[in-house]
Amino acid sequence: MRKPALSDEILLSVEKPARYIGGEYNSYNKNPDDYPVKVAFCFPDVYEIGTANLGMQIIYEQFNRRDDAMCDRVYSPWFDLDKIMREKDIPLFAVESQRPVKDFDFLLITLSYEMCYTNVLQVLDLSKIPLHAVDRTEEHPIVIGGGACAYNPEPIADFFDVFYMGESETQYDHMVEVYKDCLEKKLSRKEILEQLAEIPGLYVPQFYEVTYHEDGTLKSFEPVNPHAKARIRKEACREMTPDLPYSIHPIVPYDRGMMDRVTMEAMRGCIRGCRFCQAGMIYRPTRNRDCEYVKKSIIEMLESTGYDEVSISSLSTSDYTDFKEVMDFLIPYCSERKINIGVPSLRIDAFSLELMGKIQEVNKSSLTFAPEAGSQRLRNIINKGLTEEEILNGAKQAFEGGWNKVKLYFMLGQPFETEDDVKAIPILADKIARVYYETVPKEQRHGKCQIQSSTSFFVPKPFTPFQWAPMCDAETFSRKAYLVKDTMREQLNRKSLSYHYHEEKQTELEGVFARGDRKLCAAIEEAYKRGCIYDAWGEYMKFDIWMQVFEEMGITLEFYNYRERSVDELLPWDFIDIGVTKNYLKREWERARQGIVTPNCREKCSGCGAAVFGGGICRENKN
Amino acid sequence: MKIRIKFQKQGALKFIGHLDVMRYFQKMNRRAKLDVRYTEGFSPHQEMSLANPLSLGMTSSSEYADIEFLSWPSRQELIDRLNAVNVPELWVLDARMLPEKAKNAMSITVAADYTLKFREGYKPEDIDAWYEKFFEYTAQPEIIVTKQTKTNSVEVDLKAQIHELERRGNDLFMKIDTGSHSNLKPELLLSSFYASMGQEFNELMFEMNRDELYGEEDGKLKALLDYGYDF
């Protein structure tokens, strides 16, 4: 029997003790003593959020399927336990083995969103690992960051020994081999880091020196260790072949969590090229998983877990080449077994409506559109290849098919947005409502239609054509949101319309971290020391403390968020090569300015640079 | 047909709540590919119910789930198929087919056995003296306690809810009322005992295990498993 890290007394005194006990069905419970390479894999947020993460499930499988390595999971303790652990001096532990994180060889931390950065410090701190990589010794695990935010690792560079830019599938196995070799040779921590720095996609921040111009912008970014690469090329699988690790037997948490279902990633990457979307750029090229593999895997995942829901996931599932074939197979299989099918990220067209009609036969919930911008002008600027005609047509077909609830997602504050573009949001919502009243005869209506619009605030992200764009300040954001609200009240069908928008404060911080540099490390550390943690949870975000720390350290929102960056500026993430070239991004930024739409990868190759990976859609196009 | 399944709840799974156990069972049934009956309607769900909820933090060697099946294998095969896709802490121990029109475990439960072990560090210095005082307290003709409900307070006689109390080694064994018509929690009896001495009872004092659940037939207690037959 493994020994629990927490006593019954503690477990009975905290909220949801199931977060900390492990032992879930399908979890690997490998005894750390039996494996030379021990990996603790952390999602720096609370258990329910972490267990829902697909990337983590895949990497967990990748390490555990090896016979020379074991991998346990680590999550952020919630406030109540955090307090107890500090008071009683209990070190943070992994849920499976319940062993202290400090006893592992590696601590991998997945960085899914910028607002988790103080939780990263919490995890290091509670694990009793020095916050600064340079203060660590042979006694401490090697701390590696990965995930979407690793594509601009600079704001948290001081806290990591290594970042991995790329897809786990290509280099993590190699990394284990290199590490074993290092152990055999009894290399020092520094020597091990040098060996790791040689691995493609791995970046060791302490081997680089950064200088700044007087205005705070980057002057130079140079390796200072012969093992460190001048540029880090992202690692990507050439194709999503069936031999790659996948969580075919995913862990089944006892609680319902965020995700009470199995998830099949049908496709990686996106052909669309929306100019605000970071995922759409960093995960290029678009690669399909084999249709037979997808079908077979879904069945095995359902059978191995007992879940009654499956979700087909990707950035734009309608673009998955074998989508129809998979659904034709899945619908009868699932309806016979009373299993629900969820297909997020669908484009609304005749096919998807027919499909949704089939999979939610009785309970026609709402339909979701993501036009992202209200006016056609702005949709062209952001390269959202969706016309008003397509939206209204889709809505008409949906109303004819029996739906009467439509959800619309928009972003406020995108580049070149005018007052008219903002007002276009409620006007579009009203047009959709009009379509309903024109399409559905009075006697067939079940009350009003409900058109729900919601807006989030745009945050420019690295490796997008909008990485140079100025971001709005909180006041402008609020003004825009009020303009939507007020304009909505003026619409003919105002009683059928509703509007909701997200907090702007969190967005400002997200903006700073997203395009930040190494100067932010000290500020993040200071904010953490003053009690900032769980910033992603709006209600716990201590905005005032953040602003105070920024002010004391001379960090301004003007510099990080509000100014327009020159295309000639050296950006903190320019040393990373994601395949997609800076020239392409510049071209796209210019086309945005001119409102020119760029065709998607399947229509026409735009020469973005992702072809260097030699696979996926780039190869498809050449055949 | 309805089958009553007996399972344990041990180890760290004492921290999993009642509803989560319910959801766990539904998934386990699907993993075992058992032919469970589903309800009709918009969102069909498995026809199953659990016996009395177990308090969080308490283990049990005798929990019950009543599940409706459309078709079923033999008793042993059913047990084996479930355990093949089960975690050891929730091991399925036995199963019985229930007669037609049998009431569910939840509604027939009237009593339960509990074994209370002093938790490490909480054992009284003089355990004999502790038991002497305890039995002295429970030997009274009645033990009146005021129970606070949501709307008002009621007086209950705990004594009438006790079937049996016994010291077994250092452990305290209780057979007491459990169920919807009369329910005594071991910790309520203990806290009233401590209150009588002007002290507060610390719930962490004991590790508690539920050993058995009973219904009543012809004035006698009958273990829930014994309501069904082998198949």
Side-chain angles (χ1 to χ4, degrees), chain B residues 28-200:
Chain B
M28 176 165 68
N29 289 338
R30 275 191 294 265
R31 289 198 291 266
K33 295 188 182 169
L34 293 172
D35 193 9
V36 177
R37 195 157 93 183
Y38 280 75
T39 58
E40 309 285 326
F42 287 149
S43 52
H45 55 269
Q46 296 182 13
E47 291 216 26
M48 70 167 282
S49 62
L50 295 179
N52 271 57
L54 193 66
S55 314
L56 211 67
M58 195 186 283
T59 57
S60 172
S61 30
S62 201
E63 293 298 288
Y64 293 94
D66 290 349
I67 305 174
E68 286 272 0
F69 288 90
L70 291 170
S71 65
W72 53 90
S74 71
R75 186 182 67 91
Q76 195 55 49
E77 194 191 330
L78 178 76
I79 297 170
D80 293 345
R81 273 170 64 178
L82 284 169
N83 283 335
V85 292
N86 196 2
V87 294
E89 292 93 337
L90 281 173
W91 212 242
V92 171
L93 303 169
D94 212 337
R96 290 285 187 278
M97 181 80 67
L98 293 175
E100 205 120 6
K101 288 182 192 156
K103 288 184 179 157
N104 68 32
M106 174 78 122
S107 65
I108 59 168
T109 301
V110 298
D113 291 344
Y114 296 93
T115 300
L116 284 67
K117 260 186 209 316
F118 287 101
R119 194 184 294 276
E120 242 182 77
Y122 288 88
K123 204 163 92 179
E125 263 174 47
D126 187 344
I127 199 155
D128 295 334
W130 189 92
Y131 270 110
E132 200 175 309
K133 267 194 246 161
F134 179 70
F135 286 124
E136 200 176 292
Y137 176 71
T138 55
Q140 303 173 83
E142 53 180 21
I143 303 171
I144 304 296
V145 165
T146 312
K147 257 190 183 172
Q148 207 65 40
T149 65
K150 265 179 205 148
T151 45
N152 58 341
S153 56
V154 278
E155 290 206 329
V156 226
D157 178 10
L158 303 189
K159 178 81 179 186
Q161 298 180 303
I162 299 171
H163 298 251
E164 201 184 320
L165 295 174
E166 193 190 326
R167 178 179 172 179
R168 293 182 177 174
N170 281 339
D171 303 346
L172 173 59
F173 171 82
M174 296 184 180
K175 191 186 284 289
I176 51 180
D177 275 2
T178 298
S180 45
H181 67 289
S182 168
N183 193 51
L184 173 58
K185 287 185 165 180
E187 52 270 37
L188 180 64
L189 179 60
L190 286 157
S191 63
S192 79
F193 165 54
Y194 271 81
S196 76
M197 302 186 291
Q199 293 173 26
E200 205 173 319

Side-chain angles (χ1 to χ4, degrees), chain A residues 145-157:
Chain A
C149 294
Y151 288 95
N152 178 21
E154 292 305 278
I156 44 173

Side-chain angles (χ1 to χ4, degrees), chain A residues 339-355:
Chain A
I339 292 166
N340 294 316
I341 306 174
V343 194
S345 330
L346 276 193
R347 294 171 78 80
I348 304 299
D349 55 24
F351 171 67
S352 62
L353 283 169
E354 189 198 327
L355 191 81

Side-chain angles (χ1 to χ4, degrees), chain A residues 270-335:
Chain A
C270 180
I271 60 171
R272 295 282 154 183
C274 299
R275 290 177 181 131
F276 55 82
C277 179
Q278 188 188 39
M281 295 294 157
I282 61 179
Y283 297 126
R284 283 186 176 209
T286 304
R287 288 146 294 163
N288 287 323
R289 281 192 199 265
D290 172 68
C291 174
E292 290 310 312
Y293 174 79
V294 167
K295 288 194 256 182
K296 197 179 100 223
S297 303
I298 290 173
I299 292 175
E300 196 169 337
M301 291 169 89
L302 287 167
E303 289 188 347
S304 71
T305 58
Y307 276 116
D308 60 358
E309 188 168 334
V310 52
S311 162
I312 315 289
S313 148
S314 78
L315 292 168
S316 171
T317 307
S318 297
D319 297 326
Y320 174 51
T321 327
D322 297 315
F323 184 46
K324 189 176 181 304
E325 193 180 335
V326 168
M327 294 311 288
D328 284 347
F329 162 79
L330 217 50
I331 290 169
Y333 176 89
C334 289
S335 86

Side-chain angles (χ1 to χ4, degrees), chain A residues 350-364:
Chain A
F351 171 67
S352 62
L353 283 169
E354 189 198 327
L355 191 81
M356 277 183 277
K358 276 188 210 157
I359 60 182
Q360 30 177 317
E361 258 161 13
V362 259
N363 188 5
K364 281 195 173 152

Side-chain angles (χ1 to χ4, degrees), chain A residues 465-484:
Chain A
F466 289 169
Q467 64 179 357
W468 295 282
M471 184 175 147
C472 294
D473 57 37
E475 206 180 302
T476 311
F477 274 141
S478 301
R479 224 176 36 238
K480 286 176 191 264
Y482 277 108
L483 185 57
V484 174

Side-chain angles (χ1 to χ4, degrees), chain A residues 72-83:
Chain A
D72 276 3
R73 293 161 299 142
V74 177
Y75 303 99
S76 277
W78 190 240
F79 290 97
D80 50 3
L81 182 60
D82 175 286
K83 188 163 169 275

